[in-house]
Amino acid sequence: MLAIKKPVQTLYSEFKATCTSTAKAEKIQFIGAQDNDVYNIAAPFELDGRQIIAGRVEARDSEHSTVMFFEQTADNQFTLISDAPTFELQDPFYTYINGEFIFGGVEISPDPENADALIWKTCFYRGRDIYSLTHFVDGPARMKDIRLCATADNKIMVFTRPQGEIGGRGTIGVTQIDTLEDLSIEVINNAKLLDDHFEEQDWGGVNAGYLQADGKIALLAHVASFDDNGGRHYYPSTFLFDPADHSYSSMRIIAERSQFKAGESKRADLIDVVFSGGLIHIKDDLYRLYVGTSDCEAQWIEINQPFLQQ
């Protein structure tokens, strides 16, 4: 596989040129969150025969959120699980490594160097299920979108997203570890950057990884850019990664905000934000993509095979 670096605007133009049908989309209603928004959800997972969603629960005028777990109680309706644990995190995610449930999110705290700013880090938990989760490692300060994915030979690929002097506005890195015990800040900081994805003015990150039958990892990601007025534009995207030789394909946008239901926005600059949460295979080439929209709502959309070879 050979990746070709393209500006987000070019990726978007390619998406528009091939997007020919109106996709089915629905909002998800959350019961028990009171007056708070629920957004930037992970895809549903099964627990004791129930469909569960982890969501970012947050007041409209705040960045301080709590991740809570909701159980499906009707079509497109999820109700808070009253005895489930809660976490003072943003943007939940999960995966399974050797049969173990791995859960995480982003923790924010005051920036010691700037009283008016926040810093963040990715926190990881492990357990049999949501009730037995224990914290086991944190990522580096100021790094979101760290994700893990098991390989066919029982190794673990680690996808990172450094920002700043290394990584610019946000670039994907990758490294491999043998066990969860090997995951550390040093390992994450030393991940090799995938330089063929983002132009200097753009950014992106991995949101979830899915091991394929051929051993490749299909990655759900996002790409993003600013417009001339400071508005943010986030698009769900995908690419393929081969653990055998660490080759990877180009990014491909798979959805945009206008395909989802109209709704509210946390701020004016966040109207065109779609934050990738996860994918569920429905049947044949049909998938359901779960996302946060405009930083205040949660929705899904049905799309065709999102992991085409590029």
Side-chain angles (χ1 to χ4, degrees), residues 22-254:
T22 301
K24 180 181 179 182
E26 294 290 348
K27 289 186 182 181
I28 300 173
Q29 179 187 15
F30 291 93
I31 308 298
Q34 301 179 352
D35 294 328
N36 295 307
D37 295 327
V38 183
Y39 69 104
N40 287 13
I41 57 173
F45 59 90
E46 186 174 314
L47 175 63
D48 298 329
R50 301 176 292 167
Q51 290 296 307
I52 309 297
I53 279 183
R56 174 175 173 171
V57 182
E58 182 177 286
R60 184 67 60 88
D61 61 352
S62 175
E63 291 291 329
H64 295 274
S65 65
T66 303
V67 170
M68 298 180 178
F69 295 96
F70 299 81
E71 173 186 1
Q72 185 170 15
T73 48
D75 286 346
N76 303 315
Q77 181 187 89
F78 285 74
T79 299
L80 181 67
I81 304 174
S82 59
D83 66 343
T86 61
F87 298 85
E88 299 304 306
L89 300 172
Q90 301 175 343
D91 306 339
F93 60 87
Y94 71 89
T95 191
Y96 294 91
I97 304 289
N98 295 326
E100 195 170 11
F101 184 69
I102 309 301
F103 168 80
V106 175
E107 181 183 271
I108 62 172
S109 58
D111 188 336
E113 300 176 2
N114 184 349
D116 297 323
L118 297 170
I119 58 172
W120 52 88
K121 63 181 178 182
T122 305
C123 304
F124 289 89
Y125 299 77
R126 61 194 294 186
R128 298 184 309 279
D129 53 35
I130 63 174
Y131 294 100
S132 60
L133 290 170
T134 58
H135 175 264
F136 72 97
V137 72
D138 291 334
R142 296 180 172 86
M143 190 183 295
K144 302 181 181 182
D145 302 329
I146 306 170
R147 298 293 189 268
L148 311 178
C149 187
T151 66
D153 59 355
N154 294 316
K155 306 295 184 181
I156 303 168
M157 299 310 305
V158 182
F159 297 92
T160 71
R161 201 200 74 168
Q163 289 177 279
E165 184 176 347
I166 298 175
R169 288 181 170 174
T171 299
I172 296 170
V174 65
T175 189
Q176 181 177 289
I177 55 177
D178 293 328
T179 69
L180 290 172
E181 286 72 26
D182 296 328
L183 188 62
S184 67
I185 289 175
E186 182 180 12
V187 164
I188 293 167
N189 278 334
N190 287 331
K192 180 182 178 181
L193 298 186
L194 305 186
D195 293 322
D196 297 318
H197 273 155
F198 304 112
E199 296 288 355
E200 184 178 357
Q201 73 275 13
D202 303 328
W203 71 96
V206 168
N207 296 81
Y210 305 95
L211 180 62
Q212 305 296 286
D214 63 1
K216 294 184 177 66
I217 296 175
L219 291 157
L220 174 65
H222 63 276
V223 295
S225 64
F226 286 113
D227 60 32
D228 292 340
N229 297 315
R232 301 168 188 259
H233 303 273
Y234 275 66
Y235 305 101
S237 63
T238 60
F239 69 102
L240 295 171
F241 179 86
D242 191 343
D245 60 8
H246 286 207
S247 64
Y248 53 98
S249 66
S250 301
M251 280 286 184
R252 171 173 168 259
I253 289 176
I254 59 171

